[in-house]
Amino acid sequence: MIEILEYSFMQRALLAALLVGVAAPAVGIFLVQRRQAIMGDGIGHVALTGVALGFLLSANPVWMAVAVSSLGAIGMELIRWYGKARGDLALAMLFYGGMAGGVLIINLAPGGSNANLTTYLFGSITTVATADIVAIVLLSAFVLAVSLGLRRQLFAVCQDEEFARVTGLPVRALNLLLAVTAAVTVTVAMRVVGLLLVSALMVIPVAAAQQVTRGFAATLGASVGLGVLVTLSGTTASYYIDVPPGASIVVLAIVVFGVVTALAAPLARRRARAVARAEREGTLEESAGAAGDAVRVR
Amino acid sequence: MDAEPSPHAGSPEQSPEHGGRGTPEAPPVISLRGAHAALGAKPVLRGVDLTVGAGEVVALLGANGSGKSTTVKAVLGQVALTSGELALFETPLARFREWRRLGYVPQRSTAAAGVPATVREVVQAGRLARSQFRPLRKADREAVHEALALVGLADRAGDPVEALSGGQHQRVLIARALASRPELLVMDEPLAGVDLGSQEVLAEALRDQVRRGHSVLLVLHELGPLAPLIDRAVVLRDGRVERVTRPEQLHDPTCHHPDEKTGDAPSIETGLLS
């Protein structure tokens, strides 16, 4: 465990993994709350076009991916507002287009081939360059500032959007900010977990944490803890068994999810009983009340 | 009744007794004139007039599809008017920014959010109407606690809302609206699926609102146990106001005839709250 810290590429990879482990669940929790867990996936597809454009234009793929995936996320948000009936189809087309565009463009780039995309699709610990680390640190700082600093406001918007509008919060601006933050998170995470699996890291720690937590703040804290646990141990494992880190991180996350689910099963049963009891008491009171009313109204 | 209203900064100065209650001279908190609105291509409101004065409790009644909920959403600025005018606290909607003066209790939905939330967290969301982007202060936490106490859920603050019964969930939504100490409380079907204890809590919240000289607009399917607390009932039918009346003159809002004599309708006596 200690000797891998002597390699500077591993230091960079672990730092990136740590940041991703914090940032991905911190944003993902709002998407899960809004039942848009799949949105990170879509942004990942669109980011691929950005990466390929970076190659084609000889620009930094990370920043290019930030730009393109942010535009894609804003597009998805606009579709959510205006495209009520056919919104899901429009989203699906955006996803397909992002993927196809990425493959198309990378093959147009001089000397480019699908092989260039592989490290972005599944992550790679050896390719986190020093320039990337600067971008990753800056972008993570932005992501954490938004997702933690505005957690109450974003919670309100994702919990009950109509109510949030009536409180006078700038709901549209907050939604756009959340979409851009999710896009930035995807780009930050693509070096470590890869674009195809980034959504898993935004969703699985939250899904695991919420089985044992009672509130939103507790879920946020626990999912960030689980996120860091799986990204650090998954990155370390990928060094020893020589697999892309995205794969080991996500498999680990699913294992953690399974373990938490198994441990939480008795808790879930107890809660279900408590709810059933509360409902029963409520209904009894209600029917007693209704009967009472009926007698008096006559 | 027994719970003492706490002093509230910025409330309109009115006698907590009957002074000005429902008097036409009091400046209206809601003034809706000739409201037309459509959902998709279907016209839902076809010229609704609605005034709620300071300190007044007004009920919107009518059959399903009569436009009650749409009227409420129009008042909240959530459904755009195709024609007509809306002023809140004497400010035209386009210029209205003081949303903290409003509290909204939406129709309770059974769809749970994807992530657990405690009762306190949900009620705190209502306080954002006042705190907006600044951090929560002591006064905010006190207001949240007070709202929870008013609905009788202070001891459940740390529980997940998923563990509550339907009536208790409704109380959480009421507390969320009250957390900003609104001068106008707007409620959409607050009695739907609510047990007797929660009906009593709702009635107490209405009384508390009136004691502070504040106003209430609520959508009801029937007046039921809230009848004694309501100053005026506005009956909608097919997107128009069919009748405005005192609640005791109304026997059944869903099946009476427009030109029926109103005087001889039997008064509602639920016996529960009167």
Side-chain angles (χ1 to χ4, degrees):
Chain A
M1 181 70 205
I2 301 301
E3 81 270 12
I4 68 167
L5 290 176
E6 288 167 9
Y7 299 106
S8 55
F9 78 88
M10 272 312 284
Q11 291 169 0
R12 290 195 297 269
L14 286 171
L15 175 60
L18 174 70
L19 293 172
V20 169
V22 176
V27 174
I29 191 169
F30 296 108
L31 302 183
V32 174
Q33 191 191 11
R34 205 161 61 182
R35 300 198 172 280
Q36 288 189 318
I38 214 71
M39 183 161 167
D41 240 341
I43 299 174
H45 285 49
V46 174
L48 198 64
T49 294
V51 170
L53 267 180
F55 276 105
L56 182 68
L57 306 174
S58 307
N60 182 324
V62 173
W63 291 108
M64 210 57 176
V66 168
V68 172
S69 59
S70 295
L71 286 177
I74 291 171
M76 289 177 212
E77 195 51 38
L78 294 176
I79 289 171
R80 202 169 71 83
W81 287 344
Y82 298 112
K84 289 198 165 52
R86 316 300 296 188
D88 58 332
L89 290 180
L91 284 181
M93 266 183 268
L94 194 63
F95 297 1
Y96 309 146
M99 194 64 140
V103 174
L104 191 78
I105 293 170
I106 196 73
N107 284 287
L108 290 177
S113 75
N114 292 350
N116 300 89
L117 292 182
T118 310
T119 61
Y120 291 92
L121 286 176
F122 302 107
S124 166
I125 47 173
T126 53
T127 55
V128 181
T130 315
D132 288 339
I133 278 291
V134 174
I136 289 175
V137 169
L138 289 178
L139 293 171
S140 304
F142 165 76
V143 168
L144 293 179
V146 170
S147 58
L148 301 182
L150 295 177
R151 66 184 186 285
R152 289 182 205 289
Q153 290 76 17
L154 292 174
F155 168 83
V157 170
C158 295
Q159 180 86 6
D160 187 341
E161 196 168 310
E162 184 189 42
F163 179 84
R165 281 197 297 267
V166 178
T167 61
L169 284 175
V171 170
R172 289 195 163 192
L174 285 167
N175 272 327
L176 284 178
L177 184 64
L178 179 60
V180 169
T181 307
V184 170
T185 308
V186 166
T187 350
V188 169
M190 76 180 174
R191 285 308 223 169
V192 181
V193 273
L195 291 171
L196 283 186
L197 293 171
V198 58
S199 192
L201 199 55
M202 299 170 87
V203 171
I204 299 174
V206 179
Q210 70 181 9
Q211 306 200 52
V212 288
T213 52
R214 299 160 69 81
F216 188 83
T219 310
L220 180 59
S223 55
V224 165
L226 290 178
V228 170
L229 176 77
V230 297
T231 50
L232 287 184
S233 46
T235 305
T236 308
S238 80
Y239 170 82
Y240 286 109
I241 59 177
D242 194 22
V243 295
S248 52
I249 288 171
V250 171
V251 167
L252 255 176
I254 290 173
V255 169
V256 167
F257 175 82
V259 170
V260 173
T261 308
L263 293 179
L267 184 73
R269 273 199 299 277
R270 206 161 59 234
R271 276 192 196 165
R273 275 201 302 274
V275 174
R277 201 164 51 240
E279 283 292 353
R280 211 161 43 238
E281 279 162 13
T283 325
L284 281 179
E285 271 181 51
E286 200 176 338
S287 49
D293 279 354
V295 171
R296 291 187 201 100
V297 164
R298 224 177 350 104
Chain B
M1 248 187 322
D2 38 11
E4 274 301 308
S6 68
H8 168 46
S11 66
E13 295 348 303
Q14 275 204 349
S15 144
E17 256 49 72
H18 289 289
R21 236 196 124 179
T23 55
E25 304 85 49
V29 293
I30 298 174
S31 171
L32 188 64
R33 290 283 156 269
H36 285 74
L39 295 180
K42 185 173 172 281
V44 182
L45 302 186
R46 300 188 289 180
V48 172
D49 291 330
L50 176 70
T51 307
V52 177
E56 236 189 342
V57 178
V58 174
L60 271 178
L61 300 166
N64 283 336
S66 59
K68 296 175 300 202
S69 285
T70 309
T71 303
V72 159
K73 288 194 197 311
V75 164
L76 297 169
Q78 300 303 309
V79 166
L81 298 182
T82 47
S83 70
E85 286 166 28
L86 169 65
L88 295 171
F89 297 96
E90 300 182 283
T91 307
L93 180 71
R95 286 193 284 116
F96 185 73
R97 295 290 175 274
E98 300 177 300
W99 290 103
R100 64 191 152 74
R101 300 175 78 176
L102 255 85
Y104 173 43
V105 182
Q107 235 178 84
R108 191 170 63 86
S109 80
T110 44
V115 175
T118 63
V119 169
R120 184 187 290 110
E121 284 171 333
V122 172
V123 175
Q124 271 176 355
R127 189 63 189 176
L128 290 172
R130 289 205 180 258
S131 66
Q132 296 280 301
F133 288 99
R134 67 166 168 75
L136 289 189
R137 297 189 191 129
K138 190 156 167 273
D140 298 314
R141 292 179 209 286
E142 280 168 3
V144 167
H145 180 81
E146 195 185 311
L148 278 170
L150 187 69
V151 300
L153 289 176
D155 57 330
R156 304 293 301 269
D159 287 358
V161 282
E162 291 83 6
L164 302 180
S165 72
Q168 288 168 332
H169 193 209
Q170 183 73 57
R171 292 195 223 173
V172 172
L173 299 187
I174 293 171
R176 180 176 69 168
L178 293 176
S180 65
R181 306 233 171 101
E183 291 160 55
L184 166 64
L185 189 60
V186 178
M187 302 200 246
D188 198 348
E189 298 270 11
L191 286 179
V194 156
D195 54 85
L196 197 62
S198 297
Q199 288 180 14
E200 179 53 52
V201 163
L202 172 62
E204 181 50 34
L206 291 189
R207 282 189 213 104
D208 189 62
Q209 193 72 2
V210 170
R211 270 195 298 261
R212 294 166 189 258
H214 295 171
S215 322
V216 183
L217 172 67
L218 69 174
V219 168
L220 291 174
H221 222 72
E222 51 187 15
L223 289 175
L226 298 179
L229 297 165
I230 287 162
D231 297 315
R232 218 148 37 85
V234 175
V235 182
L236 295 183
R237 182 167 170 154
D238 295 331
R240 292 193 181 88
V241 175
E242 186 180 64
R243 189 154 71 128
V244 179
T245 180
R246 300 208 31 97
E248 58 270 24
Q249 295 172 323
L250 197 69
H251 66 115
D252 186 350
T254 52
C255 67
H256 81 105
H257 202 260
D259 43 15
E260 179 185 290
K261 284 262 194 302
T262 55
D264 51 355
S267 62
I268 293 172
E269 287 177 51
T270 62
L272 171 61
L273 300 167
S274 40

